[in-house]
């Protein structure tokens, strides 16, 4: 049963009524620009046809009652539920969405039934689709008047409350995507630009066979990179004599010509506490996260992480130019360089992802790379239209699948 029908049927089965509305929130893949968004630097993702569907209706009590075809344990959450106290990982995202609404529901409860054809814990943003879809559904159900930019900001904040200190890429592309287009997102200053995909280009995504959860060890590894790049940004700013207010990010210094050169002057490894002491700033500036505090004495490879982020931001600029010039070969070379940097400098690839990228490239893809945070999950390949089947076959042979073609699709909407 396709997800829209499955969500409606589950709502009727569990709640004995028809849903008031149905929301579709797509997954996404990131073509290039990995681990740049939380550094205030650009990304180039697109939404895909696979999506999470949410059937939504009012409840008689001030609670969120939710069932999901993908998870066996239903949720029954008070409106003030603590995301950190949620025993089930998917409940944590529901609770975080309630938390960022900050009383807007005014004691009104909701029922939600969820179905999806997005693989969970895959790096295709199933969690972001859930959060964006839930906020959109609650806004429509109760007339909350949340405009799209505010909804995107709330969804990003919710995911940070759920545990990983993510940037705003996933939420923006899920909410704002346009069919047939990539979405370039800039953060400092904020802007978006839709880039039409050349008609003879195609994209394939394939699983490495390893999950990419946003909790546990993967969340800790992700947050380590957030903190390390903050440290790198502050150290580069100090070398440049630049003032950075608030939480430092590499986007604060990336436009200064000397910044990429000064990366090589960074310490190979340093703890946040030692860096803070050398700069005369509070260590909390580096280690405070939305839902946690990072260990200030952990020794972090700041030079390699900063080298990846600054180079990756420039690859996004070059990739946009390649798209506009319909130069698939140039895009493919940038994707392969991105993957090598994620493997060698950012250290978030895995042997399975490396083998998958190599197999898809050998089968005729112009280029391939991991997509999402890494540590498992999916890879994306770009190829000429008509070569998808060969790339999919090679991916399945290398990693076991699933693998499938994806088209740039429209963003979240009420159906």
């Amino acid at each position: 049963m396709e997800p829209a029908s499955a969500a409606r049927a589950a709502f009727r089965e569990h709640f004995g009524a028809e849903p008031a509305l149905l929301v579709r929130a797509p997954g996404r893949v990131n073509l290039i620009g990995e681990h740049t968004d939380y550094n205030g630097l650009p990304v180039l993702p697109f939404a895909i046809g696979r999506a999470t569907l949410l059937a939504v209706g009012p409840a008689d009590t001030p609670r969120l009652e939710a069932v999901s075809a993908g998870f066996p344990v239903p949720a029954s959450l008070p409106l003030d539920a603590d995301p950190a106290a949620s025993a089930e990982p998917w409940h944590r995202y529901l609770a975080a969405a309630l938390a960022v609404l900050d009383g807007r529901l005014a004691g009104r409860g909701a029922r939600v039934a969820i179905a999806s054809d997005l693989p969970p814990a895959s790096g295709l943003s199933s969690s972001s689709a859930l959060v964006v879809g839930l906020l959109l559904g609650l806004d429509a159900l109760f007339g909350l008047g949340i405009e799209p930019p505010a909804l995107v900001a709330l969804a990003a904040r919710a995911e940070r409350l759920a545990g990983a200190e993510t940037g705003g890429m996933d939420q923006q592309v899920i909410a704002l995507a346009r069919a047939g287009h990539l979405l370039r997102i800039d953060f400092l200053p904020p802007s978006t630009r839709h880039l039409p995909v050349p008609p003879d280009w195609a994209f394939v995504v394939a699983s490495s066979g390893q999950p990419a959860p946003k909790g546990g060890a993967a969340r800790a590894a992700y947050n380590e990179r957030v903190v390390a790049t903050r440290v790198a940004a502050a150290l580069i700013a100090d070398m440049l004599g630049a003032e950075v207010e608030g939480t430092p990010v590499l986007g604060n210094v990336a436009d200064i010509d000397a910044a990429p050169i000064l990366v090589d002057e960074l310490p190979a490894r340093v703890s946040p506490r030692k860096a803070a002491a050398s700069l005369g700033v509070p260590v909390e500036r580096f280690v405070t996260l939305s839902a946690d505090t990072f260990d200030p004495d952990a020794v972090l490879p700041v030079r390699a992480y900063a080298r990846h982020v600054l180079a990756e931001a420039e690859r996004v600029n070059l990739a946009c130019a390649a798209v506009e010039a319909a130069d698939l070969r140039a895009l493919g070379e940038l994707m392969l360089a991105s993957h090598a940097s994620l493997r060698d400098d950012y250290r978030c690839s895995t042997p399975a992802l490396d083998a998958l990228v190599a197999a898809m490239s050998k089968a005729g893809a112009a280029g391939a790379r991991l997509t999402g945070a890494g540590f498992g999950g999916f890879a994306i390949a770009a190829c000429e239209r008509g070569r998808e089947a060969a790339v999919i076959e090679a991916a399945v042979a290398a990693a076991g699948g699933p693998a499938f073609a994806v088209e740039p699709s429209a963003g979240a909407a009420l159906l």
Side-chain angles (χ1 to χ4, degrees):
M1 187 183 300
E2 54 91 23
S5 297
R8 286 193 184 97
F11 194 98
R12 288 192 295 265
E13 177 184 348
H14 287 275
F15 303 124
E18 290 292 328
L21 55 91
L22 191 68
V23 181
R24 175 188 176 275
R28 71 93 189 92
V29 292
N30 189 19
L31 186 60
I32 200 164
E34 217 63 77
H35 292 278
T36 51
D37 60 342
Y38 55 78
N39 275 286
L41 291 166
V43 290
L44 190 62
F46 61 90
I48 63 176
R50 295 197 177 205
T52 293
L53 279 292
L54 299 92
V56 183
D60 298 329
T61 58
R63 300 183 72 83
L64 178 65
E65 306 284 347
V67 295
S68 172
F71 301 100
V73 181
S76 179
L77 304 174
L79 300 184
D80 61 353
D82 178 3
S86 299
E88 295 291 322
W90 76 281
H91 295 185
R92 188 166 63 240
Y93 290 98
L94 303 178
L98 293 175
V100 299
L101 287 174
D102 194 26
R104 287 180 176 89
L105 296 183
R108 295 169 294 189
R111 294 169 171 168
V112 182
I114 303 157
S116 180
D117 57 3
L118 283 170
S122 63
L124 300 183
S125 282
S126 59
S127 60
S128 298
L130 173 61
V131 172
V132 170
L134 179 59
L135 290 173
L136 182 60
L138 293 175
D139 174 58
L141 183 66
F142 296 121
L144 302 180
I146 303 173
E147 295 297 324
L151 189 141
V152 166
L154 289 172
R157 182 173 159 230
E159 288 223 49
R160 289 191 286 271
L161 288 177
E165 199 72 11
T166 61
M169 173 182 68
D170 295 356
Q171 298 78 19
Q172 288 203 55
V173 69
I174 289 169
L176 306 176
R178 183 182 298 172
H181 291 71
L182 312 175
L183 182 66
R184 176 180 171 130
I185 306 171
D186 287 273
F187 300 92
L188 291 175
S191 67
T192 57
R193 181 159 60 99
H194 296 275
L195 280 70
V197 176
D200 57 342
W201 289 15
F203 303 103
V204 168
V205 294
S207 172
S208 67
Q210 300 169 322
K214 285 188 175 178
R219 181 175 73 187
Y222 187 100
N223 288 343
E224 173 191 297
R225 285 150 180 79
V226 172
V227 172
T229 51
R230 289 177 180 177
V231 170
L235 291 170
I236 291 174
D238 182 68
M239 286 188 273
L240 292 167
E243 293 290 333
V244 175
E245 296 183 2
T247 302
V249 295
L250 286 166
N252 298 138
V253 298
D255 288 340
I256 301 173
D257 290 341
I261 298 170
L262 292 177
V263 167
D264 290 336
E265 301 300 317
L266 291 170
R269 299 177 66 82
V270 69
S271 71
R273 192 185 302 280
K274 185 174 180 180
S278 72
L279 296 169
V281 300
V283 71
E284 290 76 17
R285 195 176 184 201
F286 301 141
V287 300
T288 300
L289 306 173
S290 298
D292 201 358
T293 299
F294 189 82
D295 178 5
D297 295 308
V299 179
L300 309 175
V302 296
R303 183 193 299 162
Y305 289 172
R307 183 167 55 226
H308 163 75
V309 170
L310 292 176
E312 185 78 347
E314 181 57 23
R315 282 188 285 268
V316 173
N317 293 329
L318 295 172
C320 289
V323 173
E324 291 171 328
D327 189 342
L328 182 60
R329 179 178 177 180
L331 176 68
E333 290 173 352
L334 291 164
M335 293 174 70
L336 290 169
S338 172
H339 184 81
S341 181
L342 289 161
R343 179 193 65 215
D344 299 336
D345 277 343
Y346 229 64
R347 307 175 195 180
C348 61
S349 187
T350 67
L353 279 166
D354 298 340
L356 187 57
V357 165
M360 291 194 290
S361 300
K362 187 176 180 180
R369 58 182 292 279
L370 70 83
T371 186
F375 314 108
F378 272 60
I380 179 171
C383 63
E384 293 178 354
R385 194 168 293 279
R387 291 193 175 182
E388 301 98 305
V391 175
I392 290 170
E393 182 180 2
V396 173
F404 46 89
V406 290
E407 297 278 351
S409 302
L414 302 176
L415 300 184

